[in-house]
Amino acid sequence: MSDYVWQPTTEYLDQANVLRLARRHGIDSIAELRQRSTDDVAWYWDQAIADLQIPFATPYKQVLDTARGVEFPDWFVGGRFNVVDACLARWCEEDPSRVAMIHEAEDSTVRSQTYGELADQVARVASGLLELGIGEGDAVALYLPMIPEAVVALYAAAGIGAIVVPLFSGFAAPAVTARLNDAEVKAVVVADGTVRRGRTIEMAGELAKALKDSPTVQNVIVVDHVGAPVDLDRSGVTVSDWRAFETADPHRFVSFPAMQTLMLGYTSGTTGKPKGAVHTHAGFTVKVATEVAYSFDVKAGDRFCWVTDMGWVMGPLSALGAHANGAALVLYEGSPDVPDTCRLWDVVARHRITMLGVSPTLIRALRSTPLEEIAQRDLSSVRVLGSTGEPWDPDSYDWLAREVFAERVPVINFSGGTEVGGSFLAPYPVEPIPSCSLGGPSLGMAVDVVDDRGEPLRGEIGELVCRQPWPAMTRGVWRDRERYLESYWSTFPGVWYHGDYALIDGDGQWYIMGRSDDVMNVAGKRVAPAEIESVLTTHPAVAEAAAVGIPDAQKGETVWAFWVPRPGADTEGVSADLRRRVAEGVGKPFAPAKVWIVDELPKTRSAKILRRAVRAAATGGDPGDLSGAENPGAVDAIRAVVDVRPSPGEN
């Protein structure tokens, strides 16, 4: 166990945004503010909007209406809102020359834009989209790396009332197709490619394969980013050049109802197709604005950088959260350890980043860097570190906080999810933060840890739940009301069930212990077993398969796959072929690290694969109650195979 604890300095206590809010209401501590914010969630969100001066074109008449039930709340009733006004226009009126965005590519090329320049480009691209016939309610997918055009496209599509569908830039064609079809996407903005580790990755080529089975797509807008070839020849698809949009006449944005759909954030569930979490203009923007202002203490003129992807919730959160607070968004495109493990620190020093967001996986990868080399970089601009996506290990956390930043910077380790639109749990820089701790409930989030009966639990691991709605709570699973209710509201009636195991210790500190379902978390990126297994079982030699997450020192979790051969099938080289198929079908980050042949998989009497038992067998853990298993002996058989079989591809 670590003895490291962040202690807030006088500077943080005097100047932090979150205590400014507290003092305005006669509140003396973060603990008291947490309590007040969850006792009366409508009061908190109303006061946060006032404190951050988030503009509504038409003021709302009521903060929260739960007449339709806690599962279907209406926020900011009667209000009208546009994300472009809240994140860009307000700052253009104040100072259009303030830096809004900085992009650095892996080859060290740098581009920057002011708020005035960014707002103008957004307005012109919005006009280009409208000229193509894209408008309110149409779905627009963004298949782009972390480049300025991704942010421009996000605002332009949202600003005209289209529904934004961000896609992970590392997805392979089948994963892209699944999301395009579920959202019934009408237009896709795609980069010709990106460069990672010095290698050009052709994204438009991957989209071309996806379009063969994506009949709703009518328009593709191509960003010429790396000069890669583009061949999009599906009939019925109009291909446009992004550069033509940049010369269109600027669009004048109008407001929409506050809870108009802004974005579909796709997240993997334990079974079935990916779920499209529905987020709204005002709900998502207000939540992420408060996260960035209060958790990360970002102020106008600061520089916010999170090493992420636009396809994960942290991408849109970074853009809207930074810009809602008048900060500059710093984008890094490429691998953060190229040409060496000091690249991230060079980016920080070069752009004077004030809030740096990382992942435990990234920090584990950078720990081999000699501290004397890091010390040669000026990291004095950093005031806050952010982290999310996976649990920390104390050694890596303490190395970052103690060794790299000399205990002068808090680590704001927060936990939430795509469907949350931000965090459930987060510490604040004005309170002591023990190593790896999540602090406590985020402001306005009435979270709890409960036992199997839904009763509060302390000092023991239980289920993480939330007892009150919040503005960025997904409005549902896209076009699947029953899946939404089943996923989040069926375990404990009237209480949001999140699917995380959590612990509140004797000191009141909160910790996430891992997913209570089967979703795998690979370097902070979640993927469902079903997505992996659906690829594995397409192989003619495979009768059935299971994919599980296995603890990994660098990635947090890595994928292991187990497959049962069909009778008489030739198994030579199949494991290597399966790994390749997953890389092509889901994405290279999710390719299994190990692939094992087994005689059978443990299943229930209803033929459901017991993945928790497979995982336990692979790691030597306790498989739990197997009384419902049809073939409990399969667990021991998997243990034996893992112990004695050769490496994948050698079977």
Side-chain angles (χ1 to χ4, degrees):
M1 292 293 292
S2 169
D3 61 357
Y4 174 74
V5 180
W6 154 259
Q7 295 292 347
T9 64
T10 301
E11 178 186 358
Y12 286 87
L13 294 173
D14 288 346
Q15 300 179 17
N17 293 330
V18 71
L19 288 187
R20 179 192 64 225
L21 172 67
R23 291 172 184 134
R24 284 182 175 177
H25 300 281
I27 296 172
D28 296 325
S29 69
I30 188 64
E32 186 181 350
L33 182 59
R34 269 197 180 102
Q35 189 64 50
R36 178 75 185 275
S37 77
T38 54
D39 286 345
D40 188 346
V41 295
W43 170 86
Y44 166 70
W45 292 108
D46 187 41
Q47 295 306 318
I49 289 168
D51 179 59
L52 299 179
Q53 301 179 39
I54 299 172
F56 279 71
T58 300
Y60 47 86
K61 300 175 182 177
Q62 183 179 353
V63 179
L64 172 62
D65 180 1
T66 57
R68 295 194 299 141
V70 69
E71 303 90 344
F72 300 100
D74 285 320
W75 287 90
F76 314 124
V77 180
R80 293 184 67 85
F81 189 91
N82 191 304
V83 67
V84 174
D85 293 338
C87 296
L88 302 181
R90 62 185 294 208
W91 306 113
C92 287
E93 294 175 2
E94 182 177 301
D95 182 6
S97 66
R98 180 185 294 159
V99 175
M101 190 157 54
I102 300 168
H103 167 261
E104 180 170 322
E106 197 174 79
D107 66 0
S108 297
T109 302
V110 174
R111 291 189 282 165
S112 65
Q113 286 179 298
T114 65
Y115 270 93
E117 291 167 341
L118 175 57
D120 180 71
Q121 188 178 19
V122 166
R124 294 178 188 279
V125 172
S127 286
L129 293 174
L130 288 166
E131 289 175 8
L132 288 179
I134 299 161
E136 189 173 344
D138 291 331
V140 177
L142 311 182
Y143 188 38
L144 298 157
M146 288 299 273
I147 56 177
E149 290 82 359
V151 178
V152 173
L154 170 66
Y155 284 124
I160 62 174
I163 300 170
V164 180
V165 183
L167 301 174
F168 173 44
S169 61
F171 273 143
V176 173
T177 299
R179 289 154 177 80
L180 295 180
N181 288 337
D182 187 72
E184 297 184 2
V185 165
K186 184 175 180 179
V188 182
V189 184
V190 63
D192 58 345
T194 185
V195 175
R196 190 170 180 85
R197 297 192 179 280
R199 185 172 63 88
T200 298
I201 300 168
E202 297 182 4
M203 296 179 65
E206 204 66 30
L207 177 64
K209 291 184 280 186
L211 290 179
K212 296 175 182 177
D213 298 306
S214 306
T216 65
V217 176
Q218 299 175 17
N219 296 277
V220 174
I221 300 97
V222 180
V223 177
D224 182 2
H225 181 52
V226 296
V230 176
D231 183 13
L232 299 164
D233 60 355
R234 202 203 79 188
S235 61
V237 173
T238 299
V239 179
S240 304
D241 188 330
W242 172 270
R243 289 170 295 192
F245 285 17
E246 295 176 324
T247 60
D249 292 332
H251 173 67
R252 295 179 62 86
F253 294 99
V254 300
S255 61
F256 302 102
M259 300 313 280
Q260 176 120 336
T261 300
L262 164 73
M263 177 177 73
L264 302 183
Y266 276 88
T267 182
S268 296
T270 55
T271 59
K273 63 184 181 181
K275 296 179 295 198
V278 181
H279 288 299
T280 66
H281 271 252
F284 187 79
T285 306
V286 167
K287 171 66 169 166
V288 301
T290 61
E291 304 270 53
V292 171
Y294 299 144
S295 294
F296 304 120
D297 200 40
V298 169
K299 302 172 175 64
D302 282 351
R303 296 191 170 188
F304 182 105
C305 178
W306 204 291
V307 183
T308 186
D309 188 273
M310 193 57 74
W312 308 122
V313 72
M314 286 309 304
L317 184 153
S318 297
L320 273 61
H323 290 149
N325 286 283
L329 174 67
V330 180
L331 305 173
Y332 177 68
E333 177 201 4
S335 176
D337 60 356
V338 170
D340 53 48
T341 55
C342 278
R343 180 57 182 268
L344 178 65
W345 313 123
D346 287 332
V347 171
V348 170
R350 187 157 36 246
H351 302 299
R352 306 301 295 156
I353 290 166
T354 54
M355 205 307 299
L356 175 65
V358 297
S359 69
T361 293
L362 175 57
I363 297 306
R364 285 191 285 265
L366 300 182
R367 279 188 64 190
S368 62
T369 312
L371 287 169
E372 56 268 25
E373 292 187 17
I374 299 175
Q376 294 173 15
R377 278 76 181 174
D378 181 3
L379 306 183
S380 61
S381 61
V382 177
R383 291 190 296 105
V384 175
L385 294 162
S387 168
T388 193
E390 56 185 319
W392 276 97
D393 63 279
D395 288 347
S396 300
Y397 184 106
D398 294 1
W399 179 82
L400 178 66
R402 269 184 162 155
E403 305 299 329
V404 177
F405 285 95
E407 303 188 19
R408 68 170 186 82
V409 175
V411 179
I412 305 303
N413 178 27
F414 81 135
S415 180
T418 302
E419 58 274 73
V420 180
S423 69
F424 269 146
L425 301 169
Y428 291 88
V430 297
E431 62 183 331
I433 308 171
S435 178
C436 304
S437 173
L438 287 153
S442 298
L443 295 176
M445 307 299 284
V447 291
D448 200 356
V449 175
V450 301
D451 61 20
D452 290 343
R453 298 168 297 153
E455 298 296 324
L457 193 63
R458 301 294 182 268
E460 297 181 36
I461 297 172
E463 295 283 358
L464 182 69
V465 300
C466 194
R467 300 186 182 278
Q468 294 286 341
W470 62 98
M473 184 178 89
T474 177
R475 300 277 282 180
V477 172
W478 183 244
R479 295 178 176 168
D480 197 338
R481 174 189 172 99
E482 292 309 312
R483 192 178 184 196
Y484 166 66
L485 293 173
E486 174 64 26
S487 296
Y488 305 112
W489 299 98
S490 63
T491 303
F492 306 108
V495 176
W496 173 284
Y497 162 81
H498 193 54
D500 274 340
Y501 280 133
L503 169 70
I504 307 174
D505 71 10
D507 296 324
Q509 294 293 322
W510 292 59
Y511 299 87
I512 293 294
M513 311 308 292
R515 295 294 297 173
S516 53
D517 56 22
D518 288 322
V519 170
M520 293 168 283
N521 194 325
V522 180
K525 302 173 180 69
R526 293 171 58 188
V527 63
E531 287 199 83
I532 304 290
E533 293 162 6
S534 64
V535 174
L536 298 174
T537 53
T538 61
H539 196 289
V542 177
E544 56 188 11
V548 298
I550 301 296
D552 180 84
Q554 284 207 342
K555 296 181 179 180
E557 272 193 318
T558 190
V559 179
W560 280 19
F562 297 83
W563 62 282
V564 178
R566 295 185 182 278
D570 181 3
T571 62
E572 181 68 24
V574 171
S575 289
D577 190 35
L578 292 175
R579 187 186 302 105
R580 178 187 59 76
R581 289 184 178 218
V582 172
E584 294 176 352
V586 183
K588 289 183 179 179
F590 310 114
K594 292 185 181 292
V595 184
W596 307 92
I597 299 175
V598 294
D599 293 329
E600 58 180 348
L601 296 168
K603 290 181 287 188
T604 65
R605 291 185 175 86
S606 60
K608 179 181 179 180
I609 295 173
L610 291 167
R611 294 187 188 88
R612 62 173 172 79
V614 174
R615 185 185 304 108
T619 59
D622 181 4
D625 181 14
L626 295 176
S627 61
E630 180 73 24
N631 54 341
V635 173
D636 290 333
I638 290 175
R639 279 202 186 98
V641 167
V642 170
D643 285 343
V644 303
R645 284 292 176 95
S647 298
E650 297 176 1
N651 52 18

